[in-house]
Each structure stands twice: as structure tokens, then as C-alpha cells.
Amino acid sequence: MVHSSCGKAATPKDHNRKERISEMKKNAIAMHSSVATSGNLVTNLRIAKEVGFDCVELTVIPMIKPYLEAGHSLEELAELTKDFDIAGIGWLPDIERQGEDFEKLMKEAREMFEIAHAIGAGGIECLTGPADVNAVRHFKNHEPYEGYQGLLGLPADKQMELLKKNVAALADLAMDYGLCLYLEPLGWTPVNKISQAYEIARTCGRDNVKCVIDTWHAYVAGDTPEEIACMDKHYIYGVHVSDSLEAEEGTVPDENMIRNCALGEGVVDYKSYCDAVRATGYDGWWNAELFSRRQMQMDPKEVARDIYAKLSRLAKG
């Protein structure tokens, strides 16, 4: 599953997780929480087990946080997930935050890292911002916006400099918990390309920083399969496969709108992206995030079976 050991093993549970990971088959198929988002965490894990997924990628929202807020303890969460290999936990947003927002970022990170460490997760998904697509849309249209706008308006090189600095700080903290960070640049943000995340992972000076290949974000940001095929597999932590309706040229891509389709119903040549990933020699985990509103109203177990079959074919080539 997760093909590299990142950070320090701090507890016996970490050792057990790493032993299980080392025994996992190559090209493991992971179930993302969004595949059964209509249910709770217990339902999500049950479906993953019954369908036969090799591992899971869990989200704090809407899965882990509601479980804990309902009165369950971290120990109960660890017990619930003890038989599952957890590729990672999503997501830590707006990782370029500065000033007072940086302090909030580090606080949020520590809380997530504690959860991830307690349940033996392999890594934390880190997103570039602003995560709110409306912030970018208002900026592009020169309209006022009261929410977080991140580094919008700064020169591209300054944005990368500040982002890399934050990633290094987050990575140092993550190391204390035995965790990897896997960067996912959101397609509508200023730093939106996989190639940029790859550059940060290679040059930030931290061994526990990698990136995730997401076919939807690659499509809207303009990353090509040829670029991905040239990447060093060491810096690829996982793969998210999804399709898209056609992105209108010149507009800010809104995943809630154009990602509303099942695999095979859109315009993304995701097979070419997957072939490119395999060309690097990567043999880690693969999953698919669910954004199809039609599928969300179907039997989640049947949807999970369909996604599992499609991912298995893509991972094998």
C-alpha cells in the first residue's frame, strides 16, 4: 500500500502499521470516504471491508469529526479502525496561510496529526488555497470578498516561496507523529499544478513530503500525462482518479459543478494519466473520489463495487 516509511515510529502501533503496510500487495485499491458519504464512519468502513478494498483514505469532514463530536473517544476511533490500513486522512486546507492564520494552520495540523497518529494513518492530505472557489472567482472579477483569499495577487515566485516555507514547518511537525504530508494543489488556486507540488516536495529538504496525482485537478490545471511520466516515483504518495464535465475556457473551475459525473461519463482521459503514473514505476495506492450526485443517491455498496472494479483495471493497465 503506502510504499515508503515516513518519519519516526513513536509507538508500537506505528510499528504494527508499518509491518502491515510492508505486507500489502502492490497497487492497492483504497476506498475514499466520499464513496459512501451518505453513511457514517461505521458504514463507510463496513462497505470498504465487504467490497474488498485493500485500504481506506478517510476524511475528517464528514467522517471522523462527526464520530468524535458525537461523544466517541479517540481510543474508540482507534479500536474501530484497528483492522484497516489507512493510507491517509484528508484534508488540511489553505496550507499557505500567513501571520495569525499560520498559527491557526499549525493548530489545525496538530489536531489532525494526533488523530492520524492514534489510528495509524500513513499521511495527511494538504491542500493549497484558497479552498473556497468563490474567493478566486471574486478576485478574478475584481469584486470585493470578505473571506480568506490566501496569496492571491502576489507574484508566482513569492507564492511558491511562502508555500514551501509552510510545507517545511508542517513537515517538521508531522515528523514528530511519524506522518507523511501529501500535497494536493487545487485546480482553481494560484498554486494549482501537480508540477508545482512536485517541485516543493523535491526541494523543501524534508523526506516526508510527497504529492498526490489527482486526474481532475491535473485536467483543469493543465498538467499533462507526459509531465507526470517523468516524475520520480519516490515523490508520488497516492493517486486520485476522477472524471469531469468539460471545463469552460477562461472560467474558474468549480468542482461542485463540473466534477458532477461518474468515471467514464466525462471528458478526462484519466487512463492516460494513470498510464503515466505507472510509467514512473509507482505501485502504491489508488482511489476515486465521488462527486456524482446521481451516484450519491444510489446504493453506496454497489457504487463502491463499480469503483473498485474500475480502479483495479486502471492500476493494472
Side-chain angles (χ1 to χ4, degrees):
M1 183 182 70
V2 185
H3 57 274
S4 65
S5 171
C6 297
K8 298 180 291 186
T11 70
K13 182 174 180 61
D14 284 346
H15 287 295
N16 292 338
R17 172 176 64 81
K18 290 176 181 179
E19 288 172 4
R20 292 201 308 271
I21 287 171
S22 67
E23 296 171 357
M24 289 292 296
K25 69 178 185 181
K26 295 180 179 180
N27 293 307
I29 308 303
M31 185 170 126
H32 191 270
S33 290
S34 61
V35 173
T37 193
S38 57
N40 58 21
L41 178 60
V42 174
T43 303
N44 194 280
L45 293 172
R46 174 178 57 79
I47 290 174
K49 183 177 182 179
E50 291 176 352
V51 172
F53 284 87
D54 303 304
C55 52
V56 294
E57 184 183 17
L58 301 177
T59 52
V60 172
I61 301 172
M63 290 293 161
I64 295 176
K65 186 176 181 180
Y67 181 85
L68 295 174
E69 288 182 341
H72 294 283
S73 67
L74 200 56
E75 290 74 21
E76 287 177 301
L77 177 64
E79 179 66 20
L80 177 66
T81 59
K82 69 179 182 180
D83 294 328
F84 292 86
D85 284 290
I86 304 170
I89 292 179
W91 51 88
L92 182 63
D94 301 329
I95 58 170
E96 70 291 323
R97 281 178 263 176
Q98 301 293 306
E100 292 183 1
D101 288 331
F102 174 77
E103 300 305 320
K104 295 177 183 177
L105 169 68
M106 297 302 288
K107 181 177 183 294
E108 291 172 21
R110 187 178 295 277
E111 291 171 354
M112 286 190 67
F113 294 174
E114 289 174 354
I115 293 172
H117 178 77
I119 64 177
I124 296 292
E125 179 184 27
C126 297
L127 310 181
T128 61
D132 184 356
V133 68
N134 291 308
V136 182
R137 187 179 291 119
H138 280 71
F139 178 82
K140 182 177 180 179
N141 294 332
H142 305 287
E143 299 170 346
Y145 182 77
E146 296 182 359
Y148 174 77
Q149 290 189 294
L151 306 181
L152 287 167
L154 292 181
D157 58 347
K158 186 63 174 179
Q159 292 185 31
M160 286 288 285
E161 175 190 334
L162 294 173
L163 180 56
K164 185 189 295 187
K165 182 179 178 180
N166 279 19
V167 167
L170 288 166
D172 288 342
L173 179 61
M175 188 75 73
D176 294 336
Y177 293 86
L179 294 166
C180 278
L181 305 181
Y182 53 108
L183 309 180
E184 181 170 69
L186 300 183
W188 58 87
T189 64
V191 181
N192 66 344
K193 297 178 73 66
I194 294 171
S195 57
Q196 292 172 307
Y198 179 62
E199 178 184 343
I200 290 173
R202 287 191 306 107
T203 62
C204 70
R206 306 297 188 275
D207 291 336
N208 61 331
V209 178
K210 302 182 187 295
C211 56
V212 66
I213 307 297
D214 185 296
T215 62
W216 185 83
H217 291 292
Y219 161 68
V220 298
D223 286 293
T224 67
E226 292 76 17
E227 290 173 317
I228 292 170
C230 294
M231 291 175 61
D232 182 341
K233 67 177 182 179
H234 172 75
Y235 296 103
I236 303 176
Y237 189 77
V239 182
H240 291 168
V241 184
S242 60
D243 212 334
S244 180
L245 303 175
E246 188 169 2
E248 185 177 346
E249 187 175 353
T251 62
V252 178
D254 187 339
E255 66 180 355
N256 292 316
M257 299 296 293
I258 65 172
R259 214 170 177 178
N260 177 25
C261 65
L263 279 176
E265 294 181 350
V267 300
V268 177
D269 186 5
Y270 53 81
K271 185 178 184 303
S272 291
Y273 284 113
C274 292
D275 289 344
V277 173
R278 288 189 297 102
T280 68
Y282 170 83
D283 58 9
W285 54 271
W286 307 70
N287 79 13
E289 295 174 287
L290 182 66
F291 281 81
S292 167
R293 290 192 285 274
R294 181 178 63 82
Q295 286 185 310
M296 289 177 185
Q297 300 305 314
M298 296 167 61
D299 182 342
K301 188 172 180 179
E302 292 307 310
V303 173
R305 288 189 193 279
D306 177 64
I307 287 175
Y308 178 87
K310 289 177 178 176
L311 286 173
S312 296
R313 291 193 294 270
L314 289 166
K316 293 176 182 177

